Amino acid sequence: MRKFVKSWLGVAVASGALAAGASGAVAQQKEVVFGLQCDRTGPTALVGTVLCPGYHDYIDLVNSKGGVDGYKIKVIEVDNEYKVPPAMEAHERFKKEGEVIEGVYGTPQTLALTKKLEEDKIPGTSPGFGNAAAADGKRFPYVFPIAASYWSQAGAAIEFVKEKLGGNLKGKKIAYLFYDNPAGKEPLPILNELAKEEGFELRTFAVPAPGIEMGAQILDITSRYKPDFVVAHLFGRSPSVSIKELKGKGYPLSKVVSFVWGSAEPDIIAAGGYAVAQGYNTLQFAGVGKDFPVLKDIVAMYKAEGKSPPKEMDSTVYYNRGVMTAAVHVEALRNALKATGGKKPTGEDLRKGLEHIKDFTLGGLVPPLTITPTDHEGGGWCSVWTVKGDKLVKTKDWYQGFRKVVEKQIAADAKS
């Protein structure tokens, strides 16, 4: 039922029951197209090769139950290799195919596509990455972060640190270890503002690309600066390197909290396993683990097809984020069809559909998500999960860290 076909453009077309062959003629009368960008071969492939199957599985689940109000969903996926030119080509391909919503992949790609999405009136989502200012829906009407931006993650990280340090940060020292690119630097306005408000000392430690050499930074942190807490914002292979280096220098991982892209099972395994990473704290914007009704439905779908669940489901952090993104897209379609009275929706209809998502939780896998015309981020919710034993355990439920400071920054950025 699910297959990928390479085209001349390097496009992989993933399809559910709809796409195969001549039988599509009738089904396509009640079909909508979703575009999905992914990285299956580039520097963040360890994310894309798990996240994107989660997206497809949720869509296949919806299609297996008849689609949405009779509309089946066709997903067209392109591997953008975490590069901007293929991402731009992918968008043009999606547009020609009639997409009504696009899952963008990567911060540089989101920034490059922002104007095109608006010109083409097609909403694009960027969960957990992209431009934090895009939370302002009036200013960025066709970009939807739909999950905690880097500004919100910064607020959540510092609130967690404050809680762990007894509720008072005055005089404390916090190290910010970050990947030295625009995404890594984006949280700095929030961190600097909170340092002033809360009275802590902030020192930054930049890790140059590709992020696998950070011995000097870790030595500086552990031997010279000696912070009370480390906030890490790293990508790709670098989170596992940071875990190993900090552990190797004797710094307690219980005093480390990572942003969302250094928070998955592969990061822990690559660092040497759960025994090495005990105490490591991770921010999450979707649920972790398999104990969610929607995941059990996906397993049942595979079993009904006579298949075993895919191995990607074992990497729950990224897989669940793919499911979340797909579910938000489907919820937008559901709202759009309500508004059109069942008439085939456009990208503009899906944009409005996203803006009418209210208290959507997907059985706990998603935070209490409400997206409005002014808040395309959906509140900036995070939770904290900690390595305990042989798994990640939830240690702080959904919360919004220093939300007023984040909202102040969004407003200030609009005036700059």
Side-chain angles (χ1 to χ4, degrees):
M1 301 290 279
R2 285 165 289 281
K3 63 181 183 179
F4 298 87
V5 181
K6 277 286 186 182
S7 80
W8 62 273
L9 193 61
V11 173
V13 179
S15 59
L18 316 164
S23 63
V26 175
Q28 285 175 5
Q29 294 174 12
K30 297 277 281 184
E31 175 182 285
V32 293
V33 175
F34 288 3
L36 178 65
Q37 302 217 11
C38 189
D39 176 11
R40 290 181 184 261
T41 59
T44 62
L46 83 168
V47 177
T49 52
V50 178
L51 187 150
C52 298
Y55 186 98
H56 288 290
D57 281 348
Y58 184 81
I59 298 298
D60 285 343
L61 177 66
V62 172
N63 282 337
S64 73
K65 295 182 177 181
V68 180
D69 292 345
Y71 283 87
K72 295 293 185 68
I73 301 166
K74 176 181 176 181
V75 178
I76 302 176
E77 180 194 312
V78 170
D79 178 2
N80 70 20
E81 305 171 47
Y82 203 74
K83 297 175 182 174
V84 169
M88 304 301 286
E89 290 180 6
H91 174 75
E92 294 303 320
R93 169 65 187 266
F94 296 155
K95 188 171 63 174
K96 287 179 182 176
E97 295 284 347
E99 70 164 343
V100 293
I101 194 168
E102 184 168 329
V104 187
Y105 188 101
T107 293
Q109 294 77 5
T110 304
L111 297 176
L113 279 167
T114 295
K115 185 177 179 182
K116 284 295 298 177
L117 291 168
E118 184 167 352
E119 289 175 350
D120 297 333
K121 297 189 181 305
I122 297 169
T125 58
S126 57
F129 56 85
N131 181 5
D136 184 347
K138 294 296 184 186
R139 191 174 167 209
F140 298 93
Y142 290 87
V143 178
F144 290 76
I146 71 168
S149 70
Y150 292 141
W151 288 349
S152 292
Q153 291 173 47
I158 296 302
E159 182 158 318
F160 177 73
V161 172
K162 182 177 181 178
E163 184 178 300
K164 286 295 180 183
L165 294 180
N168 188 352
L169 292 175
K170 191 172 181 60
K172 302 294 186 183
K173 297 196 294 186
I174 296 176
Y176 177 55
L177 179 67
F178 69 101
Y179 199 100
D180 192 8
N181 73 353
K185 294 173 182 174
E186 190 163 51
L188 288 172
I190 299 296
L191 294 174
N192 287 324
E193 178 63 25
L194 287 173
K196 286 191 292 185
E197 287 194 8
E198 296 293 319
F200 63 86
E201 177 183 308
L202 176 72
R203 188 172 297 180
T204 62
F205 299 85
V207 177
I212 56 176
E213 295 290 341
M214 64 183 81
Q217 291 88 344
I218 298 297
L219 183 63
D220 205 11
I221 289 172
T222 56
S223 298
R224 301 183 182 91
Y225 188 48
K226 298 180 180 178
D228 296 287
F229 229 96
V230 175
V231 175
H233 182 24
L234 300 164
F235 317 101
R237 293 175 57 192
S238 55
S240 63
V241 176
S242 73
I243 295 170
K244 283 191 288 190
E245 292 279 358
L246 286 164
K247 180 80 172 183
K249 294 294 185 295
Y251 191 82
L253 295 177
S254 60
K255 293 187 176 181
V256 180
V257 60
S258 169
F259 276 32
V260 302
W261 299 110
S263 297
E265 291 97 337
D267 301 313
I268 296 162
I269 294 168
Y274 286 86
V276 171
Q278 287 296 300
Y280 182 66
N281 302 294
T282 71
L283 293 179
Q284 304 289 345
F285 63 76
V288 177
K290 297 182 178 180
D291 193 19
F292 298 99
V294 63
L295 301 183
K296 293 174 182 175
D297 288 346
I298 290 173
V299 170
M301 175 185 71
Y302 273 97
K303 287 184 176 178
E305 296 173 356
K307 300 175 182 176
S308 299
K311 66 181 187 309
E312 289 84 356
M313 292 191 83
D314 294 332
S315 188
T316 68
V317 170
Y318 294 146
Y319 183 88
N320 292 2
R321 290 177 189 178
V323 171
M324 172 188 168
T325 302
V328 171
H329 287 187
V330 169
E331 194 66 9
L333 173 62
R334 202 181 309 280
N335 289 341
L337 286 169
K338 284 180 186 174
T340 64
K343 182 182 174 183
K344 188 172 183 176
T346 64
E348 182 66 17
D349 295 324
L350 267 287
R351 182 184 70 80
K352 294 175 182 175
L354 282 166
E355 291 178 341
H356 283 80
I357 289 175
K358 183 174 175 56
D359 296 329
F360 181 64
T361 65
L362 198 63
L365 189 138
V366 177
L369 189 67
T370 294
I371 300 173
T372 70
T374 56
D375 178 12
H376 281 189
E377 185 186 13
W381 297 88
C382 287
S383 60
V384 179
W385 293 66
T386 301
V387 177
K388 291 185 177 180
D390 59 354
K391 59 184 178 181
L392 284 162
V393 176
K394 185 189 284 187
T395 48
K396 188 172 177 59
D397 206 354
W398 299 117
Y399 69 108
Q400 298 164 296
F402 291 103
R403 191 64 188 162
K404 289 184 178 178
V405 174
V406 174
E407 290 174 343
K408 180 182 174 184
Q409 178 61 31
I410 293 170
D413 193 84
K415 296 176 181 176
S416 63

